[in-house]
Amino acid sequence: MSKLSDRIINLAESQTLAMAKKSRELQAQGKDIISLSIGEPDFDTPQFIKDAAKRAIDNNVTRYTPVAGIQELRKAISEKFKRDNDLNYTAEQIIVSTGAKQSIANVILSLINPGEEVIVPIPYWVSYIETIKLAEGIPVTIPTNVESNFKISPEQLKKAITSKTKMIVFSTPCNPSGSVYTKEELKALAEIIVQYPDLYVISDEIYEYINFVGKHESIAQFDFIYDRVITVNGVSKGFAMTGWRIGYIGAPLWISQACEKMQGQFTSGTSSISQMAALEAVKASPSVTYEMRDAFKKRRDLVLELLKEIPGIKSTVPDGAFYIFPDISYYFGKSYNNYHIKNSNDLSMFLLEEGNIALVSGDAFGDDNCIRFSYATSEERLIESVKRVKEALAKLK
Ligand code: PMP
Ligand code: GLU
């Protein structure tokens, strides 16, 4: 009998976190590694948010909170949904969790039975697939590529639906492609979803504020599917608060109640201090995030421009988030010394070891032709990073 459960043995490690760990280890050994692996803003959390956390400590907001979150925060999130997304979620429909990662896990574990299918467009965020498998659901992927701007069509969605389909999970803006669905595109998908009354949607909108093309659109805005959408969001990305661990959902009440029950057995309410900090973030005008968004856009343009100088790289122009996800399959079949590049994992290992640059292979996100650059770092480091990639790739013949 194995000591560990089949559940944990079969669970893959998060590839984004694994690459970040590997680059930290190499850095600790004195290697000059630049890591563009983890998706994390390099900005500091805004001062007014940090002040709120300090006040929370001084005011002894240091005890267990209700499992679903401090009522004032749930109310503020309800108002945020109305203000930014024109969505009506009452405070009771909001569940605050330890990061959007837990929000997503709560929903999947609450809704998916063994054998039920969950549609996941490629490229997907790493944790969707593993959480679905943990729930013994079956991930069903839909391919996309640079030409389709990494977005799925309504026809593709319709084709993927079977009598076992329970849910679709996707992010817009998307990690890792940076693609942003327009209102029209979401409406066309919603018109398919409405035809299947037992089909639910997790709409992961954690990159809402990092959008370079205009207004963010939520799929829950279409009344005819509102009662089947779970809208996931949080403060990690837009407010540079990854370490505070605050995510949340707005969902039909019965789903929120299920998530509250799930969370009550796993973690209880998340950190009281982080919740008081998040309260200031969600109450603030989104304009406090614009400076960071504009800096991300400038960096995106810089990296795209620099990538043009490297032969064989095909990229979209990502409309949001802070990732570029180019197709690098041109390098497959090429070699240098003992390196024979067959896939995106080989290429990311080669770039790490020969180029001292950490990226995440597209394989981790379901698309083996690509590689992910997280450009949430300074312009100087980005210039140096692309130089390293260019020099390393030039060695492959
Ligand atoms: N969804 C997506 C698409 C992400 O990129 C992340 C980043 N880790 C998360 C959810 C989870 O965010 P967090 O747990 O930090 O709120
Ligand atoms: N979402 C980030 C990423 O994709 C953070 C790492 C993680 O939680 O997976 O890199």
Side-chain angles (χ1 to χ4, degrees):
M1 209 197 303
S2 108
K3 286 189 186 169
L4 290 171
S5 68
D6 294 345
R7 188 178 303 114
I8 192 69
I9 290 171
N10 294 330
L11 188 74
E13 186 180 358
S14 162
Q15 287 306 302
T16 46
L17 299 182
M19 202 59 180
K21 188 169 155 189
K22 198 171 177 104
S23 29
R24 271 189 223 116
E25 281 165 7
L26 290 171
Q27 280 158 352
Q29 290 166 19
K31 285 233 168 92
D32 165 34
I33 304 288
I34 299 188
S35 176
L36 303 188
S37 58
I38 198 159
E40 164 163 77
D42 58 328
F43 298 108
D44 293 327
T45 301
Q47 191 59 44
F48 72 97
I49 298 175
K50 295 196 279 197
D51 289 342
K54 291 179 197 162
R55 278 198 308 276
I57 296 172
D58 290 339
N59 293 337
N60 296 309
V61 189
T62 51
R63 303 199 162 81
Y64 286 137
T65 74
V67 170
I70 293 172
Q71 194 57 21
E72 202 186 346
L73 174 58
R74 294 169 82 196
K75 203 162 152 280
I77 293 170
S78 155
E79 284 158 12
K80 176 256 172 262
F81 272 127
K82 186 71 199 163
R83 179 193 68 200
D84 297 346
N85 316 110
D86 201 20
L87 295 178
N88 292 308
Y89 289 116
T90 63
E92 286 59 47
Q93 290 175 273
I94 311 291
I95 305 293
V96 181
S97 300
T98 305
K101 194 174 260 188
Q102 187 183 28
S103 304
I104 294 163
N106 280 340
V107 177
I108 291 177
L109 291 169
S110 297
L111 288 189
I112 301 303
N113 274 313
E116 288 177 342
E117 293 177 358
V118 182
I119 296 176
V120 192
I122 293 175
Y124 45 72
W125 179 49
V126 290
S127 296
Y128 299 155
I129 298 282
E130 294 309 313
T131 315
I132 294 163
K133 288 203 229 151
L134 209 53
E136 297 180 56
I138 302 169
V140 174
T141 55
I142 303 181
T144 63
N145 52 31
V146 170
E147 285 70 35
S148 64
N149 202 1
F150 294 115
K151 296 191 219 179
I152 59 164
S153 66
E155 295 73 32
Q156 281 181 300
L157 175 61
K158 195 170 174 77
K159 241 177 87 192
I161 298 172
T162 73
S163 59
K164 294 203 194 107
T165 309
K166 181 72 169 279
M167 186 187 274
I168 165 166
V169 187
F170 75 111
S171 60
T172 178
C174 173
N175 175 5
S177 68
S179 299
V180 174
Y181 282 86
T182 64
K183 183 171 179 179
E184 292 66 38
E185 286 165 344
L186 290 175
K187 183 154 187 262
L189 296 178
E191 280 165 355
I192 302 295
I193 291 160
V194 71
Q195 297 168 25
Y196 301 88
D198 300 319
L199 179 55
Y200 294 85
V201 184
I202 294 185
S203 177
D204 181 348
E205 305 179 14
I206 187 95
Y207 294 95
E208 168 179 16
Y209 292 145
I210 308 170
N211 175 332
F212 314 133
V213 285
K215 196 179 161 304
H216 172 77
E217 301 290 346
S218 298
I219 199 165
Q221 71 182 282
F222 304 107
D223 304 346
F224 52 93
I225 60 159
Y226 166 82
D227 59 355
R228 291 200 269 124
V229 179
I230 300 97
T231 307
V232 175
N233 209 325
V235 296
S236 291
K237 312 290 173 168
F239 294 96
M241 291 177 70
T242 45
W244 299 78
R245 312 308 301 128
I246 297 282
Y248 55 82
I249 58 164
L253 192 59
W254 62 276
I255 296 178
S256 301
Q257 286 166 344
C259 291
E260 180 177 359
K261 187 165 139 191
M262 179 72 66
Q263 185 161 298
Q265 295 293 11
F266 271 76
T267 51
S268 305
T270 190
S271 153
S272 56
I273 298 153
S274 295
Q275 289 189 60
M276 292 310 285
L279 175 61
E280 292 308 312
V282 296
K283 281 199 320 202
S285 158
S287 60
V288 304
T289 65
Y290 292 171
E291 205 178 309
M292 293 188 269
R293 177 199 63 191
D294 294 346
F296 285 131
K297 180 162 186 281
K298 212 163 148 233
R299 295 167 180 184
R300 176 202 68 175
D301 292 342
L302 172 71
V303 178
L304 285 177
E305 208 43 49
L306 293 169
L307 285 178
K308 280 188 193 150
E309 293 170 17
I310 307 181
I313 289 203
K314 260 195 319 186
S315 180
T316 59
V317 177
D319 287 331
F322 36 67
Y323 307 106
I324 296 180
F325 196 61
D327 183 317
I328 40 71
S329 57
Y330 169 83
Y331 291 94
F332 297 174
K334 298 191 188 292
S335 300
Y336 173 71
N337 290 346
N338 287 332
Y339 295 100
H340 305 291
I341 310 299
K342 294 179 294 306
N343 52 43
S344 62
N345 282 315
D346 290 348
L347 196 73
S348 67
M349 273 307 136
F350 168 75
L351 288 172
L352 183 63
E353 290 168 10
E354 247 342 280
N356 287 344
I357 171 92
L359 307 175
V360 185
S361 71
D363 179 49
F365 308 95
D367 187 339
D368 196 26
N369 287 326
C370 298
I371 202 157
R372 188 186 80 173
F373 289 71
S374 168
Y375 59 81
T377 190
S378 69
E379 292 181 20
E380 298 77 66
R381 284 169 78 80
L382 291 172
I383 292 169
E384 173 62 20
S385 303
V386 183
K387 183 168 161 267
R388 290 184 184 192
V389 172
K390 186 178 173 183
E391 285 170 4
L393 290 179
K395 295 180 184 168
L396 291 171
K397 297 286 174 248

